[in-house]
Amino acid sequence: MANELAHLNDTQLMQNLQTLGTEFAKSGILGVSNPSQGLIVALTCYTEHISPIEFARTYHIVNGRLSMRADAMQAQFLRQGGRIKWLTSTNEECKAVFSHPEYAPEGVTLSLTIEEMVDSGIAVDGRGQLKQTWKSFPRQMLRARVVSEGCRMLTPGIVAGVYTPEEAGEFGNAPARTLDLSKPKEVPAQALPEPEPEPESTAPDMEEVLLANEEAVNMYLAKIGWIKENQTWRNLSTGQKNKITAKLDSFITKAKAYVVSLEEEEEN
């Protein structure tokens, strides 16, 4: 795409990129929902000399911000000679040794716990409750954070100026707080405030869940005929995404069950 636009002046270039961004938004491809996000995609493809397909494999847009997938960060790190040795990956803790022949030949051990994420306020919402993504996929969320920190520490050129979808989803949140698990004090009935309505689920929450379980999701979508070969959940229509959002937990359960059934078939 960059070669096709190289002969244009600055004004023509921006007009063409804006037009391309608008078309991205109309099609709903790559998870783009408005022309502004479409322009981000077009600019990134142009400046980094990559195709929209490569963009989908590497980046994502969360809360209007460009983010890099954790698996893309990890792949880039390994391609540049880095090595990762996973020591622990559970729902409570993730620990790994990151090494690089030039920048850290002896290796650096990085670890992160769910308790640290709660105490920092990252894994809890404005009401002090554990966020749904951290509740449903704690292991994957911890691993993505550790990958981001390791790549940022040893090879910052890979991730300069961008964050993982898990990190980007936290921008603009309330100040850090500790999850309060203590028994609430009794308050006179007349002093109780009016209950606030539950916030509606948003697209970024749905997208974070799909990202955290992407392989199973894509396999299941292909099985039920919602996507074709070489497509992902990002190619779904708005109506299909709304259907998934309405029954997100049930959809993820079915996707996981489908993958388990395939594994059992292979074993037999």
Side-chain angles (χ1 to χ4, degrees):
M1 185 175 73
N3 292 334
E4 297 175 359
L5 301 175
H7 66 283
L8 303 177
N9 60 41
D10 291 344
T11 300
Q12 293 173 325
L13 174 61
M14 183 55 65
Q15 289 175 344
N16 278 268
L17 291 176
Q18 288 175 334
T19 300
L20 185 58
T22 300
E23 293 304 314
F24 283 152
K26 289 180 179 179
S27 67
I29 192 173
L30 309 175
V32 171
S33 59
N34 59 64
S36 296
Q37 293 181 355
L39 179 58
I40 293 175
V41 175
L43 282 169
T44 303
C45 291
Y46 174 73
T47 56
E48 298 197 5
H49 305 286
I50 60 177
S51 68
I53 299 302
E54 184 64 24
F55 178 95
R57 293 173 178 171
T58 308
Y59 297 105
H60 194 53
I61 297 178
V62 178
N63 293 343
R65 297 174 183 269
L66 183 67
S67 63
M68 178 180 283
R69 293 158 48 104
D71 55 356
M73 287 186 182
Q74 183 175 343
Q76 287 274 27
F77 179 72
L78 297 178
R79 279 197 290 267
Q80 293 191 17
R83 292 290 182 270
I84 303 176
K85 180 180 180 180
W86 297 101
L87 304 179
T88 304
S89 184
T90 67
N91 290 341
E92 291 74 35
E93 180 184 18
C94 181
K95 180 185 292 186
V97 178
F98 288 75
S99 60
H100 190 280
E102 182 177 357
Y103 307 121
E106 296 181 359
V108 177
T109 302
L110 300 176
S111 65
L112 198 59
T113 65
I114 190 68
E115 183 178 1
E116 290 175 321
M117 291 293 94
V118 168
D119 289 343
S120 66
I122 291 175
V124 295
D125 58 25
R127 297 170 298 161
Q129 302 297 314
L130 196 63
K131 292 181 178 179
Q132 185 60 46
T133 48
W134 283 91
K135 185 185 299 183
S136 301
F137 309 103
R139 184 176 68 257
Q140 292 90 334
M141 298 293 282
L142 287 172
R143 195 161 55 236
R145 287 274 175 168
V146 170
V147 166
S148 175
E149 183 177 353
C151 294
R152 206 174 298 279
M153 177 184 293
L154 271 60
T155 52
I158 294 176
V159 293
V162 296
Y163 296 84
T164 66
E166 294 78 12
E167 294 170 322
E170 311 300 338
F171 295 155
N173 284 335
R177 64 186 73 217
T178 301
L179 185 63
D180 186 5
L181 301 178
S182 61
K183 183 177 180 180
K185 297 179 180 179
E186 294 186 2
V187 181
Q190 64 272 20
L192 289 174
E194 289 293 326
E196 296 182 1
E198 290 290 326
E200 297 181 357
S201 296
T202 61
D205 290 333
M206 181 271 290
E207 292 177 354
E208 287 180 12
V209 173
L210 297 186
L211 280 167
N213 209 40
E214 183 157 18
E215 183 176 0
V217 166
N218 290 335
M219 291 174 66
Y220 181 65
L221 286 173
K223 182 254 183 183
I224 63 177
W226 281 26
I227 61 175
K228 300 177 181 179
E229 186 178 358
N230 297 327
Q231 290 185 325
T232 71
W233 59 265
R234 298 174 183 81
N235 299 104
L236 295 174
S237 66
T238 301
Q240 289 172 321
K241 289 181 180 179
N242 289 339
K243 289 181 180 179
I244 292 176
T245 301
K247 297 182 179 180
L248 185 57
D249 290 340
S250 174
F251 175 81
I252 294 299
T253 299
K254 291 179 180 178
K256 288 183 176 181
Y258 174 62
V259 173
V260 171
S261 69
L262 292 179
E263 293 174 349
E264 290 177 348
E265 289 180 4
E266 291 181 358
E267 291 177 357
N268 296 330

